[in-house]
Amino acid sequence: MLDKDHAQAAVTSLNEIAAELQSALETHKQTQQRQQPYSSNAQLGEGAAGIAVFFAYLEATGFMTGARDLALEYLNIGIDALTSQPMDPSLFSGFAGISWAIQHVSNLLGTTPDDLTEIDLVLEKFVSNSPWKQDYDLIVGLVGIGVYCLERSGSAAAARSLELIVDRLYELGERGEEGVRWFTGPELLIQQQREIYPQGYYNLGMAHGVPGIIAVLGKIYAAGIACEKTSWLLDQAIRWFLQQRLPSEMNSCFSGFYIPGRPSEDSRLAWCYGDAGIAAALFIAGRCTGQRPWEEEALEIARHSANRAPETCRVRDVCFCHGSAGLAHIFNRFYQVTRDELFAGASRYWIDQSLQYRNPGGGVAGYTVWTADQDGQIVSLGRHGLIEGIAGVGLTYLAAMSTVEPFWDRIFLVDLPFQATQKG
């Protein structure tokens, strides 16, 4: 993907990222204090489990000598937390995510994973709760648990969980003449969001909204699970979603939220909210079900995103979640499946922007990200993990330089399929 100068700059940055994360591990090992970064934060999204995935790909690509041992050491921190600390079942911050990393890293490195049967059974029981009163989303809810279960191919309990997740989404969906939609009530919002949206909203972003449902339902359909109900939900959900498209004179195709009676606003361009994540979700649904119109709709949105004026995108930092790295990777994925040079150019542009965010000697490995601190205030911090930190940035660079397919992006639901599933 990269010319010589950008490739060299990416390699330099990737080496610094690996060194920073190796140093953090050494600090943890020397002190063995529970308040050290990775003993208390074993998560997939921002902790040790996600960093294990990073080093596993450094090993798989041959980028770094000794990466395998570092991957397993980080993974063991996650395993220790899994067996000793109470945690929620979510993908990005809970035990489903750590278990996903155990399965994924083991598959990648060719090792035998720990037995995850008990995790599968606990999640099966959890998603059997009806009516569902908790989040449905990718980060902490049903969609994220579905991502874990899809990684557990061959597990009967995981397959049953996927069917139950479809049931829960079927029950939660609001039916109307326009199709099916999913509501996020104020009780599920953090305090700052409740103040802005006291009545709740319909979330249109990949991380917390309907696009995550669309993508995971497509994958469940392709796995041959609950196909009739899944197909109906997809038809109805995509029909409703496409009707939320903004007028052509606006910068984005979709807003971040839909609130009846309230004017919709432009969205930034990002994975978490905005057209890049939406395009990926629709493309996955189209490819996984053999629905060419959905695929074409996704490509049109992706092309609009690739052509969007950068000053309208509201990108402020490098991270995968809401920054330049996430855009670089999504456009890379679209280029790989289409060979459309428009997407290659967009990916290279956002990689260049990512490299420009690097400030040697600042943050961690030269990077900072705008994120919420412990008091909920937005500040610029250095982060280590996948979703907002340097591990996610490093994996983005690696994907642009390697022939090893970056299946780590399954947790973000942007692993665009190369081949379409045949309908029926």
Side-chain angles (χ1 to χ4, degrees), residues 50-70:
I51 297 170
V53 174
F54 168 74
F55 279 111
Y57 275 88
L58 293 189
E59 171 69 22
T61 58
F63 184 87
M64 176 184 174
T65 302
R68 179 189 186 91
D69 291 340
L70 292 166

Side-chain angles (χ1 to χ4, degrees), residues 284-296:
I284 287 172
R287 278 278 163 106
C288 286
T289 59
Q291 291 283 359
R292 184 73 178 180
W294 298 346
E295 186 179 324
E296 292 297 332

Side-chain angles (χ1 to χ4, degrees), residues 74-91:
Y74 265 113
L75 193 62
N76 283 335
I77 294 172
I79 293 170
D80 289 345
L82 195 63
T83 58
S84 64
Q85 299 176 17
M87 60 183 72
D88 66 57
S90 69
L91 181 67

Side-chain angles (χ1 to χ4, degrees), residues 3-14:
D3 61 31
K4 183 178 179 180
D5 289 342
H6 284 92
Q8 185 56 56
V11 167
T12 298
S13 183
L14 194 47

Side-chain angles (χ1 to χ4, degrees), residues 54-215:
F54 168 74
F55 279 111
Y57 275 88
L58 293 189
E59 171 69 22
T61 58
F63 184 87
M64 176 184 174
T65 302
R68 179 189 186 91
D69 291 340
L70 292 166
L72 294 177
E73 287 190 70
Y74 265 113
L75 193 62
N76 283 335
I77 294 172
I79 293 170
D80 289 345
L82 195 63
T83 58
S84 64
Q85 299 176 17
M87 60 183 72
D88 66 57
S90 69
L91 181 67
F92 277 81
S93 60
F95 66 78
I98 296 173
S99 302
W100 185 95
I102 293 169
Q103 183 67 61
H104 192 76
V105 169
S106 298
N107 290 346
L108 192 64
L109 299 182
T111 62
T112 302
D114 286 26
D115 186 0
L116 297 172
T117 303
E118 185 176 351
I119 297 292
D120 296 348
L121 292 171
V122 168
L123 288 173
E124 181 188 0
K125 183 177 181 181
F126 180 62
V127 298
S128 68
N129 287 314
S130 178
W132 188 258
K133 299 292 186 182
Q134 303 184 59
D135 292 277
Y136 69 74
D137 70 357
L138 172 59
I139 299 294
V140 298
L142 285 170
V143 172
I145 294 171
V147 168
Y148 164 76
C149 292
L150 286 163
E151 196 73 15
R152 292 283 293 148
S153 176
S155 165
R160 290 192 297 270
S161 290
L162 289 170
E163 189 166 357
L164 288 165
I165 287 168
V166 174
D167 287 342
R168 300 293 81 78
L169 292 172
Y170 184 86
E171 294 166 0
L172 284 172
E174 297 180 355
R175 293 153 178 76
E177 293 182 0
E178 295 180 328
V180 173
R181 61 189 185 182
W182 286 266
F183 182 67
T184 301
E187 70 280 2
L188 296 175
L189 303 178
I190 61 174
Q191 180 60 36
Q192 293 95 324
Q193 289 179 318
R194 278 199 299 272
E195 292 173 0
I196 303 171
Y197 307 105
Q199 304 303 317
Y201 51 55
Y202 298 92
N203 194 303
L204 306 184
M206 175 70 97
H208 296 289
V210 176
I213 292 177
I214 288 170

